[in-house]
Every structure is written in structure tokens, then in C-alpha cells.
Amino acid sequence: MNFYKKGPLKGIVTIPGDKSVSHRGVMFGALAKGTTEVTNFLQGADCLSTIQCFKQMGIEIINNPASDSVIIHGKGLHGLTKPAGLLDVGNSGTTLRLISGILSGQTFATSLNGDASIQKRPMNRIIAPLSMMGAHITSLGENGCAPLAINHSGERTARLKGIHYHSPVASAQIKSCVLLAGMYADGETSVTEPTLSRNHTELMLSQFGARISSQGTTATIQPDPDLLGQKIKVPGDISSAAYFIAAGLIVPGSEILIKNVGINPTRDGILRVCRQMGADITLENVIDTGGEPMADLLVRHSELKGVEIGGDIIPTLIDEIPVLAVLACLAKGKTIIRDAAELKVKESNRIDMMADNLSRMGADIRATDDGMVINGGKPLHGATIESKADHRIAMTFAIASLIAEGETLIREAECVTVSYPNFHSDLSALCK
Ligand code: S3P
């Protein structure tokens, strides 16, 4: 797809539902007794993969894309049935890692696979703790990646063991995987992570009736919960909002209102860093119902300055680092991003992808072992961008193209359907 310099951005945009929260609504609804209704559900390909996996395991799920609502007729903790074929997670790491925790606690065998990207992503990070719990889970290619086989060595009769797992990485996917397996364990299960990752699992499982608690960076769950169907209203995805925040800040003359954005403190690092860079962002209509807080964000074009980003804030903005790198190109001075080696094992190696593609556009950027160093202020020009079908890379460069002289060609730009199917039209609608 071709993109051109455009703007200013004016008007209102309503962001589709949060990907992490949408996944969990379907998964926990399937394991609860009774009906769960998820509204403002994200109709992205990743979340549709989650629906498909649970349908294959005998759960009746009615998706109404016209109203973005999903009804799940849950069958309780032990209500899943053996799927006919293998479970296909597509591009979705969240589906694969969270579902593996649930499947480890079942009595039937399953196989899981996904697309070319997912087959390169590290799964030993879940195989290790699940094996400690007594699960039978293997990488079929013996390379620590999908395809995975669970319980193939025979039907599970013994229960999983409750463990206290010290995760080497701050990852909500690892934490959630182990906590979900913990529901099928013989005792309490805890996960301690080096810094706190997003806590949607803890918040939502508690709403469904699980006995789950958090203290600092440790989350603990008791086994055998009686989960009950719930009404879940999904907040707008701050990771999707990030592209419009960035566009509003860098395109001169812009002023946009981004509606209904989830501002859970384990996800709002982007707002904190933007403010530190000098961004003009105002929160309006803040709603905190005790679960997932939301707000409208008023964003105006701003003069930005370089910052250092590292440490505990990284998990709270991990998916927003690519678009933060674009902001850094526009900022005065140097931006250093560190402690973000996890970017190398996302849908693509996002450190290399940002360094390669932004360099093609004329930026002064250098990849490091755990992040990047960017000297801001060099004007960007159009270039050919390889997204390697990574949705966040494609959206990031659609934003960079708005301030680049000439034409930008983004290859496989349609991959945005993974997390934001209407991204390109929503962006065009704001560009006057
Ligand atoms: C997610 C957690 C994050 C994030 C991903 C979604 C989740 O991954 O990058 O897009 O829904 O739990 P990690 O927890 O592995 O860092």
C-alpha cells in the first residue's frame, strides 16, 4: 500500500476494543458456568482465532460483528471437549500461550499450531513452568517453538502440581498461562515476575469469581474456582490508540479526541513517556469502575524532546515502542530505549525492523542489544518499508509516512487486520 505526507489530523476517533481484554473475555467465559457477554469486542484476526479454538472445544459462541458483541455459553472449568483437529492460533501469541495453560489441565490431548511468525516465537518460556507443574507439553519440532503437543503421552489422570514460579521475564502471557493452569492444580499457584506486566488476567478472573490475589509482582491463584458468566465491557485498546496519539503529536496543526481508551496503569506507559517528551495530552471523562479504567484523550501537536526509557516502565509500553521510536525521530535530542530485549521475540524482531526501516526513511537510529538509540531532528523521507506482516510495524510506518516527504510503500500493510481491521480508514478519516 502507498502512503503520502498528510494532515493536519482533526476530529474524533473511537478506538476498537482492547486485544488482551477481548481474548480473556472469551477464554474465561468458556470456562465459566452460564452466559458471558463481551461488548466492544475486538474483531481482529487474533481474537477471532481465540473464538475459533474454543468453538472447536465444544463451546457455543455467538459473535455479532455488527454490534461488536460476543455471547459465550460457558460450560464450567471441566466443560471443554477434545477438538477434532489441531487448534490453529494464527498469528496470536496470546491465544497460544494462554490456551496452553488451560489445555495442560485437561484430560484430553491437543495439538496447537499457527502461522510462520508464531512458529518462530519462543515457547520454552511456557513449556518450562507447565512441565514443573507436571504437564505433558512438547515442541513437536524440538526447537522450543510451535507446533506444540499437550497430553499426547496419554490422558491426564493426576492433577497438576501447584508451584511458585519465578519468571525470568516480565510477561503477562507467561504469568497468565501459569495462573490458568493453576486453576487445575492440587494447591495454590503463584507467579513472581521481575517487574509487573499487564494485569488483565488478575482483574478479570477475580470478576468471574476466582480466588486470585496480587502483591507487588506476585500473583497467586487458588485451584478449583467456580467461575460464573459475566458481562464484560472491553475498553478501547491503548496500544491501538498509540498510533493516533503519535500522529496527533507529530503532524503540525493536529488536534484529535481519542474516545474510550483503556488507561490501566499496567498499560499507560505510553502516556507517561509522551508527557515526559513534552506532549500536550489531556485526559477527559475518566471512568474508573474499579476494574479497567477508561478516558478520552485530547491530543494536540507538540514540540517533543528526547528521553531515556528503561526499567519498570518497559512492560507497560512494550507494544508501543515501535511508534515511540517514530516520536523520537521527531524529538529534539537523543532518545535511548533500553531493557526492551523482549521486542526481538514479538511478531517480528521489532528492534531490527525499526532500525532498518527508519534508517531507510533517513532517520539516525542504531539498534542495541536491548533497545535502540535515536538522534532526533533528521527529516524523514518516503521509502519502501518491509512490515514482514507485523501489524504494529505496518501501523507505525503508516504514521511515519504522514510526516515523510514523498511516497512511502508499506509491504503487507493489510496485516493490520490482526489487531485493528479499520486502521487505515480510521486514519484517513482524521487527515483533513
Ligand atoms: C499480551 C502481553 C504482551 C503483549 C501482547 C499481549 C497479553 O506480551 O506484547 O501483545 O495479552 O497478555 P508479553 O506478556 O509476552 O510481553
Side-chain angles (χ1 to χ4, degrees):
M1 264 170 97
N2 296 315
F3 296 81
Y4 301 92
K5 191 172 175 179
K6 266 195 200 156
L9 284 82
K10 298 268 184 196
I12 300 176
V13 58
T14 303
I15 295 297
D18 188 276
K19 182 156 77 72
S20 296
V21 176
S22 297
H23 279 300
R24 286 159 173 83
V26 171
M27 292 182 185
F28 305 168
L31 301 178
K33 287 194 179 122
T35 304
T36 289
E37 184 184 9
V38 183
T39 52
N40 199 34
F41 178 82
L42 172 65
Q43 299 288 338
D46 273 9
C47 299
L48 299 181
S49 296
T50 291
I51 289 184
Q52 188 51 34
C53 288
F54 281 92
K55 278 187 172 174
Q56 275 179 257
M57 291 191 283
I59 304 298
E60 189 191 344
I61 303 177
I62 300 149
N63 183 11
N64 300 297
S67 59
D68 289 334
S69 67
V70 177
I71 306 284
I72 303 123
H73 294 287
K75 292 191 176 168
L77 211 55
H78 301 282
L80 301 179
T81 49
K82 183 175 168 54
L86 66 66
L87 297 173
D88 182 0
V89 304
N91 189 244
S92 177
T94 307
T95 310
L96 181 53
R97 295 201 177 105
L98 270 61
I99 241 179
S100 296
I102 295 168
L103 295 176
S104 293
Q106 307 303 316
T107 52
F108 53 81
T110 34
S111 307
L112 298 132
N113 204 359
D115 69 7
S117 152
I118 208 88
Q119 290 178 30
K120 288 193 206 126
R121 297 183 66 186
M123 294 301 147
N124 278 338
R125 52 179 55 198
I126 56 160
I127 293 175
L130 290 174
S131 302
M132 285 166 68
M133 295 177 83
H136 300 291
I137 172 166
T138 49
S139 156
L140 287 172
E142 294 178 5
N143 59 353
C145 300
L148 300 180
I150 300 181
N151 284 340
H152 276 256
S153 48
E155 292 199 342
R156 160 169 297 285
T157 45
R159 306 201 63 176
L160 295 177
K161 288 192 286 286
I163 59 167
H164 187 159
Y165 186 60
H166 291 267
S167 175
V169 264
S171 158
Q173 294 182 352
I174 299 174
K175 172 173 65 178
S176 304
C177 168
V178 176
L179 292 172
L180 289 169
M183 298 199 296
Y184 299 92
D186 59 4
E188 174 176 292
T189 296
S190 297
V191 181
T192 299
E193 44 187 355
T195 52
L196 186 64
S197 65
R198 64 190 67 190
N199 64 357
H200 307 300
T201 293
E202 295 91 305
L203 292 174
M204 199 191 289
L205 269 183
S206 161
Q207 184 185 340
F208 272 88
R211 286 169 297 150
I212 184 162
S213 60
S214 300
Q215 205 162 27
T217 61
T218 301
T220 302
I221 192 163
Q222 307 299 327
D224 296 321
D226 261 325
L227 305 181
L228 273 186
Q230 298 294 316
K231 282 192 186 312
I232 305 290
K233 188 175 177 333
V234 181
D237 197 325
I238 192 167
S239 299
S240 299
Y243 304 104
F244 297 107
I245 296 173
L249 293 176
I250 63 178
V251 180
S254 297
E255 177 168 330
I256 52 173
L257 185 65
I258 312 173
K259 302 277 288 177
N260 300 337
V261 181
I263 51 164
N264 177 320
T266 63
R267 294 286 298 283
D268 73 349
I270 173 86
L271 299 179
R272 287 182 267 152
V273 166
C274 284
R275 289 225 174 82
Q276 224 186 318
M277 295 178 91
D280 181 354
I281 303 176
T282 314
L283 267 55
E284 298 181 346
N285 299 323
V286 180
I287 308 170
D288 191 354
T289 49
E292 299 281 354
M294 285 201 305
D296 298 338
L297 310 180
L298 180 64
V299 180
R300 294 193 184 93
H301 172 250
S302 307
E303 296 300 325
L304 302 175
K305 57 178 189 294
V307 284
E308 295 199 13
I309 311 169
D312 289 0
I313 202 168
I314 293 294
T316 73
L317 48 66
I318 189 73
D319 293 341
E320 292 69 76
I321 293 177
V323 82
L324 273 172
V326 174
L327 290 184
C329 291
L330 272 288
K332 211 175 254 168
K334 185 183 281 206
T335 291
I336 302 174
I337 300 167
R338 55 169 74 93
D339 305 322
E342 274 296 293
L343 290 176
K344 295 183 189 169
V345 291
K346 295 294 180 187
E347 286 83 330
S348 67
N349 178 335
R350 290 182 177 160
I351 295 181
D352 288 352
M353 293 285 279
M354 289 313 298
D356 287 355
N357 285 314
L358 276 176
S359 300
R360 292 181 192 198
M361 295 183 89
D364 179 350
I365 177 169
R366 178 167 60 82
T368 63
D369 278 351
D370 65 349
M372 43 201 128
V373 177
I374 298 156
N375 287 303
K378 282 191 78 183
L380 300 186
H381 54 75
T384 296
I385 303 300
E386 300 296 341
S387 74
K388 297 208 178 141
D390 181 336
H391 56 129
R392 301 215 183 277
I393 298 297
M395 290 189 276
T396 293
F397 282 92
I399 300 307
S401 76
L402 297 173
I403 41 97
E405 285 306 329
E407 182 183 273
T408 300
L409 170 72
I410 305 178
R411 292 205 203 275
E412 299 175 89
E414 61 288 348
C415 66
V416 301
T417 49
V418 161
S419 64
Y420 195 161
N422 295 329
F423 171 77
H424 295 303
S425 55
D426 283 359
L427 180 59
S428 295
L430 287 175
C431 294
K432 298 291 174 225

